[in-house]
Each structure stands twice: as structure tokens, then as C-alpha cells.
Amino acid sequence: MKKVAVLAVQGAFIEHEKMLCSLGAETVELRKKSDIEQEFDGLILPGGESTVQGKLLRELGMFDILKEKIEAGLPVLATCAGLILLAQEVTNDEKRYFATLPVSVKRNAYGRQLGSFHCDGRLKGIGMYPMEFIRAPYIESTSPEVDVLAEVDGHIVAVKYKNQIALAFHPELSGDTRIHEMFLGQIG
């Protein structure tokens, strides 16, 4: 059985856990440094508040260990705030976190809560997919080696790079398991 760690210090992690469990995966919540000591096959970086998550990751002593695991090839699915945690550049914020994904991201690109919206968009390898954007970022640019999976209104909202899948939207809120299935398919 595939075991997926879900960052559970803040944000929308429970919905990811429910979706993974419905697909037969086991989940473990990462709340403190000792949680990282157990074995797991993949990592979910959920939506929420990236500045809070980044601060807690450092304060709880998990940041460097997770960064090393991601750089060593641990499969990662990052949604919304998780995308910001992975991005090498955040164009409207000087803070950097893992910086393992060669993209430039704009935080809260669609505005605050009132800028939240739902649309159906085409996702490479999956087809039409219901996309839920909540105070979402979008990707302004990527390195050539990054595979763009989806665009909405001319903005990149989903990418894949090596072991990392990063989305500006919330697939865990869609009821559609295909992105989580794709992620689990990356896990050996």
C-alpha cells in the first residue's frame, strides 16, 4: 500500500487525506519533526496560507528535511499554497521556501476571497477537469524543462517537473480523483 505524507500544520489537508484514502492509499499527517522520521512514498503540500506554512515548517524543524527529500526525488503534489512553497520565484513576495520548482508564481493573482472562482479546464493527460480557485496564485513563467499541464485565461495553473506536480487550484475539493490518481501513479 502506498503511504503518502500530508503536511498538516495548516490549510486544507483533510480533504486530500479523504481523497487518497478513497483510492486505497494510506496517509500520515506531518505535524512535527518526529512525523518525518517514518517512511512515506509521497508528499502532499496542501492549500492554505503559504507564509504560515513556511514559517511553521522552519519553526518545527521540518523544512530542511522535506527540502532534501523533494530534491532527492520524493513525489510531491502541491496545491495552491503548496505551489508557492515549491516555486523558485514568487514575483510579488520576497520570501522563498523550498525553491525546487523552476517557475515564477504570483501570489493571490486573482485577488482576495472575492476573486475565488470555479471553471472547467483542460488538463494534459486527463482531459476536462473541474478547477476550484480560492485566493489562487498562477504561474507567470516556467523554465523550458517544466511541462505545462493546464492554462486558464492565458495563465498557467498546473505544471509537472520531474517528481513535482503543482497546481494553482484545489483538486481535493472537486470530487474528481483523477489528479490524485495521476500522483499515486508516480509513486513506485
Side-chain angles (χ1 to χ4, degrees), residues 121-142:
R122 182 162 302 284
L123 198 64
K124 185 176 179 181
I126 288 182
M128 293 307 286
Y129 191 90
M131 299 177 181
E132 207 63 53
F133 292 87
I134 302 170
R135 291 176 48 213
Y138 60 63
I139 298 166
E140 294 187 320
S141 65
T142 70

Side-chain angles (χ1 to χ4, degrees), residues 8 20 34 46-47 54 69 81 106 116 125 148 154 187-188:
L20 289 166
S34 61
K69 287 181 178 288
K106 183 175 181 182
S116 299
V148 175
I187 297 173

